[in-house]
Amino acid sequence: MNLKDKVAVITGAASGIGRAAALRFKQEGAAGLVLGDLSFEKLKSLDGVRVQCDVSKEADIQTLVREAEKRFGRVDVFFSNAGIFQAGDIHAPDADWERNWKIHVMAHVYAARAVVDKMVARGGGYFLVTASAAGLLNIVESATYGVTKHGAVAFAEWLAIAYGRRGLRVSCLCPQAVMTNMFTGGGGSAGVDGALTVEQVMDEIVKTMAAEKFLILPHPKVLDYMRIKTADYDRWLGGMQKLFLKHVEKD
């Protein structure tokens, strides 16, 4: 899909990848941008329709989509991007698990409920999910993050399976470390192959959307790690266990 003359909704638009997407989509010639974020104040520096939005609440996402339809009559692209990072193991409070689940999985479900059927009825559209390399490979620092990002990948896959032959295009963004507000301490285990700028990530997003491919992998090594994982799961788990021990030793 070419972004020129398209109407796009972006969540988590106030910072990081979401902010970079707002700037790049405009540069690519988008006809309209509707930008959602929990921090409305931080949206004010961006061009577009700005809406305060808590993606963990379905009503907020419905409001975001209604605003897009009110202003522009349609949604061509929904970039379900908002995310958080919390350290958390098996002892993390239920509230942390629930928060991660709602933001990393249910927010995509809520967005799909709001736009997908309408996109299909118009002949097609684009649904873009920000997951993480952690959704493909897991991550040693956080069970709450790794597990729910797996869920994000699985939901994006399901959308592509169920709607891919009905005109919906689906992509799943799975970077390793990116220099956003969530980037700290060299990126932890995700920084093993270096950290990218948000502009570099956007180059890969635009390229992959133009090709209408599913996986967006700004760090190409992620594909190699996936192949290692599927070729010998136990060997891969052994490598991840070593990485986990290094993480524990640092703490």
Side-chain angles (χ1 to χ4, degrees), residues 60-61 88 135 147 183 196 206 208 221 235 246:
D60 278 21
I61 292 180
V147 170
F183 179 79
L196 300 179
V206 171
T208 306
K221 286 287 289 182
R235 179 188 173 198
K246 288 182 181 178

Side-chain angles (χ1 to χ4, degrees), residues 1-2 6 75-80 112 115-116 119-120 123-129 155-172 208-216:
M1 176 182 279
N2 188 313
K6 300 299 189 296
V75 175
D76 299 309
V77 178
F78 196 104
F79 189 3
S80 192
V115 300
V116 166
M119 286 178 171
V120 169
Y126 216 112
F127 198 96
L128 175 60
V129 170
F155 182 67
E157 289 173 344
W158 189 90
L159 276 183
I161 291 166
Y163 291 93
R165 295 194 178 184
R166 297 171 62 187
L168 184 71
R169 297 293 174 260
V170 181
S171 288
C172 189
T208 306
M209 288 181 71
E212 298 185 347
K213 299 293 186 181
F214 180 76
L215 277 180
I216 306 177

